[in-house]
Amino acid sequence: MNMIVPLSELRPGESGVVINFQGGPNFRSKLYPMGLAPGVIIRVLDRFQFGPVIIEAGGTRLAVGKNMADKILVRKL
Amino acid sequence: MAMKVVALAGNPNVGKTTIFNALTGMKQHVGNWPGVTVEKKEGVFEYNGERFLVVDLPGTYSLTAHSIDELVARNFLLNGNPDVVVNVVDATSILRNLYLTLEIFEMGLKNVVIALNKIDLAEKKGIKIDAKKMSKVLGVPVVPLDAKDGIGMKDLKDVIVAVAHGEVEETPIIPTYEPAVEREIEHISKCLEGTKLVSKYPVRWLALKLLQRDEEVMKLVERHLGQEGLDRVMTHINEVEERYGKAMDLVIAGQKYEFIDGLTHEFMSYGRAGGEPFTDQLDRLLVHPVYGFIVMAIVFYFVFKFIFVFGLPIQNWLAEAFTDFGNWLAPHIANEALRGLLVDGIIGGVGMVLSFFPLVFLLFLALSFLEDLGYMARIAVLMEGILRKFGLPGKAVIPLILGLGCNVPAVMATRTIEDEKDRLVTMFVNPFVPCSARLSVISFLAGLFFPKESALVAASIYALAFTVAILSAWLVSHFVKGESGLFVIELPEYLVPSGKALLLHSWERSKEFVRKAGTVILVGALLIWYLSNYPVPIGTGGSYAEKLGHLFGPYMGLMGLDWKAAVSLLFGIIAKENVISTYGVLYGTAAAIRSAMTPLQAYVLMAVTTLYIPCIATIGAIRAESNWKWAALATAYMITVASIVGILIWHVGLLLGWGA
Ligand SMILES: Nc1nc2c(ncn2[C@@H]2O[C@H](COP(=O)(O)OP(=O)(O)O)[C@@H](O)[C@H]2O)c(=O)[nH]1
Ligand SMILES: [Mg+2]
């Protein structure tokens, strides 16, 4: 049930809680201020084959590159 | 008494510029922050006879030191001693916006005003915010605003002035972290005690930044405590993290949002959920991997139609007006040298360039429209997948499109790309994008030599330039070191742009173009006039310009061009508009240019002018954003590519029998 998966594996309509990042401090500190931090609930709005994942986080809409979405770990809700 | 300073800080796209315009009206000045190429906007507003200086800081999501924008904003807040800091907060995304607000509070500022903007949109979304309560919870004044419609601006001014005069007692709320973090904050604070640093910066802020491994603060500490002192602190942090099993920055960021969440419950509530937001519905179409591109192609088609259909007739009319004026003036000037200088040098050269103002203005209008509409970000999303294949980030599309206006701001816009490698590659290929100055050359020659299919011919030059740019990016990205591919961008709500803001913005940008035309180009045109009239007038073979041209003539011959092209291209280095103004001076009339070249030669000239070198200002911008080596490399690369393309077009054209 409480599976931890990369953000890129969530399908449109699915939600998750951000748990951790597979990236260095620079990578992480770029995401925090945009609303992606541990404990934050995100919802996937749209996802494209090779392109970015479009999510909603903290009341804003973000497009996250595929490479980045692979490194953001979330717990599926 | 010195003017009190009001700084505007906030996330990108929250309405800072709208508020800035509403505060200052037309009394504004655009310049640069000292030493860097970040745009600095300053303006003045008056209140009961007192004048206040307003500074629009770059829009940032946080105050780390990862981009120049963030560093500029942060240094101004820390060291610029603003009397009032107006933190603009977007009411439709409070959670994310308050992250920056808390960072500002943690800096120890006690003169903050929160401009709670876009309340009209928040209301529509069913978000209810009690501004009074919010003010009480945060400990600073909160002013609800709908800046687009000027609602609440009077209140904002009142509060700004009250804070500036020290009439408001502020108690900004500072987040408390879990005991383990607080313990470390305390420990590090003790290590820093007694140093000069603590008298300059709030010690809690320093400690927090060290825990988050902020490179600028680490440098500061090293300067004051020495390498050893810094090492001691950092080793300690490493140990703590090891024991704790988690990076401190992760804990701090998570708890900050938790804290924000708790705060917002006290003053904010979500009403009816409503259906799927309009923006999401639209995005289904606009960032769709198939429909999205179709829409984008249509959008660009209309942008070009818009510019050419409206711009070209006005341009022609202006160009004729300048020629007529010159012809009218000529007989009135007795002194031959002065007549030449005025009619040929000044009116002939600058007049031609000035006539392109309408084109430039319409172009900027279209670009600003797409930007304010929120569509630019969608283009970035659409393009990320494709551009990445050629070594460019999706965000490169913004500089690539801005380059259509002018490569100088476009090169500067590459700074929104965080990754160094991405930035360098984007910057390198940007000058290939035909700027409005080259549009003037392209449209002039296309109109003159291909009157029936001028739009098609112009479009083919644009296609050529973009192809060269993209292929070059692919090539260059293989030679630049570094990782890339970190893409995250906000997709703002679609908004109908305010016409007034669009006009103001485009007007400012177009003025920039004319300012350039007025100074650099005037010098260029006068230099050409001098070189082509001294020591003897052109046509005798003895002018300086001809001598210079003949030096490059044989090389130009390889692509079917002559020494006059060499002279024009040489002056085009100062600014691309000069290519046409030089032709104007060398030939006298458009008709003379028309009869001196075949359409194929004109086409080669268009291609070469588009590709051959960045103008001086663009070279300067590349240098400013990277280094001389990179600027020199980009320049040498362009000359090479333009030569190859020019020679190819000429010889293929001859083979196909298009020579006549
Ligand atoms: N509905 C609404 N739109 C606004 C308001 N303030 C700004 N905008 C729009 O928000 C967009 C971004 O504004 P801008 O001032 O350029 O933001 P900046 O990036 O922070 O300088 C523009 O399309 C504005 O017209 C507001 O109070 N209400
Ligand atoms: Mg702005």
Side-chain angles (χ1 to χ4, degrees):
Chain A
M1 269 306 276
N2 287 341
M3 268 199 310
I4 292 181
V5 294
L7 171 59
S8 51
E9 280 182 22
L10 292 192
R11 271 185 298 253
E14 290 184 328
S15 301
V17 183
V18 178
I19 299 296
N20 209 337
F21 304 94
Q22 291 176 318
N26 273 350
F27 172 88
R28 298 195 296 260
S29 59
K30 188 180 156 178
L31 293 175
Y32 300 152
M34 298 196 84
L36 286 166
V40 171
I41 297 176
I42 56 98
R43 189 166 64 93
V44 173
L45 298 174
D46 228 331
R47 193 181 75 172
F48 301 112
Q49 201 66 50
F50 303 105
V53 184
I54 296 176
I55 62 169
E56 195 198 290
T60 52
R61 211 174 274 104
L62 299 175
V64 182
K66 174 91 173 66
N67 306 359
M68 246 175 166
D70 285 338
K71 294 178 183 158
I72 300 170
L73 301 180
V74 298
R75 177 181 297 127
K76 247 186 181 173
L77 286 179
Chain B
M1 206 178 67
M3 240 193 295
K4 291 246 193 307
V5 177
V6 181
L8 291 178
N11 287 182
N13 215 40
V14 292
K16 273 177 341 82
T17 303
T18 309
I19 293 175
F20 178 84
N21 289 341
L23 279 175
T24 63
M26 297 299 262
K27 275 177 253 163
Q28 43 179 280
H29 168 80
V30 181
N32 274 352
W33 291 89
V36 293
T37 43
V38 179
E39 188 179 88
K40 182 181 192 182
K41 260 199 184 147
E42 287 180 321
V44 170
F45 79 88
E46 255 181 49
Y47 188 95
N48 286 344
E50 188 179 355
R51 286 153 61 80
F52 294 83
L53 181 70
V54 187
V55 183
D56 192 7
L57 296 177
T60 61
Y61 291 106
S62 81
L63 296 167
T64 50
H66 290 311
S67 71
I68 310 172
D69 281 0
E70 287 186 353
L71 210 56
V72 164
R74 162 163 145 173
N75 285 342
F76 191 80
L77 293 178
L78 279 174
N79 309 319
N81 293 319
D83 296 282
V84 182
V85 174
V86 177
N87 173 208
V88 183
V89 165
D90 184 339
T92 64
S93 53
I94 292 255
L95 251 47
R96 209 263 325 275
N97 275 254
L98 285 185
Y99 187 89
L100 177 70
T101 305
L102 289 185
E103 280 207 52
I104 293 174
F105 287 175
E106 282 178 331
M107 279 182 161
L109 296 176
K110 287 200 164 41
N111 49 1
V112 182
V113 175
I114 291 187
L116 183 62
N117 197 31
K118 300 196 186 180
I119 43 158
D120 53 319
L121 279 181
E123 233 158 74
K124 261 190 218 145
K125 283 182 141 189
I127 302 171
K128 291 198 184 63
I129 302 169
D130 183 338
K132 279 212 188 72
K133 236 190 194 151
M134 182 173 172
S135 169
K136 208 171 275 162
V137 170
L138 296 180
V140 303
V142 174
V143 184
L145 281 182
D146 168 3
K148 198 176 164 190
D149 301 307
I151 296 167
M153 290 308 297
K154 167 84 174 59
D155 298 337
L156 182 64
K157 277 189 195 176
D158 289 344
V159 175
I160 289 174
V161 173
V163 172
H165 291 158
E167 291 158 6
V168 180
E169 190 69 39
E170 296 198 352
T171 50
I173 191 158
I174 305 277
T176 323
Y177 301 97
E178 62 182 59
V181 177
E182 288 297 331
R183 227 175 8 250
E184 293 319 311
I185 293 176
E186 204 166 308
H187 176 86
I188 296 172
S189 302
K190 278 219 186 77
C191 295
L192 299 176
E193 234 164 56
T195 63
K196 260 214 202 111
L197 261 182
V198 195
S199 57
K200 279 196 212 145
Y201 305 99
V203 69
R204 187 181 169 85
W205 180 76
L206 289 171
L208 268 169
K209 284 290 160 188
L210 283 173
L211 282 172
Q212 293 165 288
R213 293 195 170 73
D214 183 285
E215 280 165 22
E216 290 299 309
V217 170
M218 281 163 68
K219 269 188 233 157
L220 267 179
V221 170
E222 190 185 339
R223 215 171 306 143
H224 285 81
L225 270 79
Q227 177 72 48
E228 208 181 302
L230 175 66
D231 283 349
R232 213 168 34 235
V233 175
M234 296 322 287
T235 317
H236 176 75
I237 294 173
N238 287 340
E239 281 169 14
V240 170
E241 286 186 342
E242 194 114 333
R243 224 178 315 130
Y244 202 64
K246 249 186 196 170
M248 280 290 145
D249 58 78
L250 206 62
V251 180
I252 292 172
Q255 296 204 333
K256 219 174 225 159
Y257 278 109
E258 209 175 294
F259 186 75
I260 292 170
D261 199 43
L263 293 182
T264 54
H265 279 306
E266 293 184 49
F267 58 77
M268 189 169 88
S269 65
Y270 297 94
R272 60 195 159 78
E276 189 184 31
F278 174 65
T279 295
D280 289 348
Q281 288 174 16
L282 208 52
D283 271 349
R284 239 165 253 292
L285 178 72
L286 295 188
V287 297
H288 188 277
V290 178
Y291 308 129
F293 287 108
I294 297 173
V295 174
M296 189 170 73
I298 295 171
V299 167
F300 282 133
Y301 173 79
F302 277 107
V303 165
F304 268 86
K305 266 281 183 213
F306 173 71
I307 295 165
F308 279 95
V309 168
F310 290 105
L312 279 178
I314 310 177
Q315 180 202 13
N316 288 336
W317 180 82
L318 269 173
E320 272 168 34
F322 272 104
T323 313
D324 291 349
F325 177 62
N327 290 342
W328 170 84
L329 194 69
H332 296 277
I333 304 166
N335 185 310
E336 199 179 320
L338 186 66
R339 182 168 65 223
L341 175 72
L342 267 176
V343 176
D344 298 334
I346 295 179
I347 298 173
V350 174
M352 226 161 185
V353 175
L354 276 180
S355 71
F356 293 110
F357 183 85
L359 279 182
V360 175
F361 182 73
L362 291 175
L363 181 80
F364 282 139
L365 207 57
L367 290 180
S368 310
F369 176 77
L370 294 181
E371 218 167 331
D372 284 6
L373 191 66
Y375 187 59
M376 279 291 202
R378 273 66 186 192
I379 297 177
V381 171
L382 272 177
M383 299 304 290
E384 172 72 13
I386 301 169
L387 286 180
R388 185 55 68 198
K389 290 196 180 66
F390 298 98
L392 286 171
K395 270 191 187 176
V397 76
I398 293 166
L400 284 175
I401 292 173
L402 279 180
L404 291 170
C406 173
N407 299 97
V408 174
V411 165
M412 280 155 58
T414 59
R415 69 182 47 208
T416 60
I417 301 163
E418 288 80 0
D419 186 80
E420 167 111 32
K421 174 180 174 167
D422 284 350
R423 196 164 59 232
L424 285 176
V425 176
T426 308
M427 201 185 296
F428 193 90
V429 302
N430 192 274
F432 281 124
V433 179
C435 59
S436 53
R438 274 170 284 176
L439 167 64
S440 69
V441 178
I442 294 167
S443 60
F444 176 81
L445 291 174
L448 195 59
F449 287 88
F450 306 90
K452 288 214 188 72
E453 55 273 303
S454 61
L456 188 71
V457 167
S460 77
I461 293 287
Y462 274 78
L464 171 73
F466 272 96
T467 308
V468 168
I470 296 265
L471 291 180
S472 300
W474 174 80
L475 186 73
V476 174
S477 68
H478 286 282
F479 291 96
V480 186
K481 283 196 293 282
E483 61 154 353
S484 54
L486 300 184
F487 177 74
V488 55
I489 191 172
E490 186 183 353
L491 299 178
E493 202 89 8
Y494 288 107
L495 290 176
V496 180
S498 125
K500 210 175 117 200
L502 279 184
L503 288 173
L504 187 70
H505 199 51
S506 309
W507 179 253
E508 290 288 326
R509 285 170 157 187
S510 309
K511 249 175 34 194
E512 190 74 13
F513 172 82
V514 172
R515 207 171 49 79
K516 245 179 75 195
T519 51
V520 181
I521 312 307
L522 182 64
V523 170
L526 288 179
L527 197 66
I528 299 155
W529 175 79
Y530 177 79
L531 289 177
S532 51
N533 279 282
Y534 292 87
V536 287
I538 223 161
T540 57
S543 73
Y544 291 131
E546 280 160 305
K547 283 181 187 160
L548 220 58
H550 286 302
L551 210 64
F552 290 94
Y555 186 68
M556 301 309 294
L558 294 177
M559 45 193 107
L561 299 176
D562 60 0
W563 64 272
K564 284 184 179 175
V567 177
S568 301
L569 290 173
L570 202 66
F571 286 115
I573 298 172
I574 297 173
K576 294 293 170 76
E577 308 86 306
N578 279 354
V579 174
I580 286 305
S581 57
T582 308
Y583 263 89
V585 170
L586 287 178
Y587 285 96
T589 64
I593 299 176
R594 175 66 188 91
S595 56
M597 269 193 289
T598 66
L600 179 61
Q601 283 171 317
Y603 195 82
V604 172
L605 183 64
M606 277 189 261
V608 171
T609 303
T610 304
L611 303 176
Y612 79 111
I613 206 171
C615 69
I616 285 286
T618 305
I619 297 175
I622 298 176
R623 192 214 79 110
E625 294 297 311
S626 57
N627 50 54
W628 268 120
K629 205 180 118 198
W630 198 241
L633 218 60
T635 306
Y637 178 80
M638 285 188 82
I639 294 173
T640 313
V641 169
S643 302
I644 295 171
V645 171
I647 292 168
L648 272 178
I649 294 178
W650 173 242
H651 286 282
V652 171
L654 283 183
L655 276 180
L656 293 176
W658 294 345

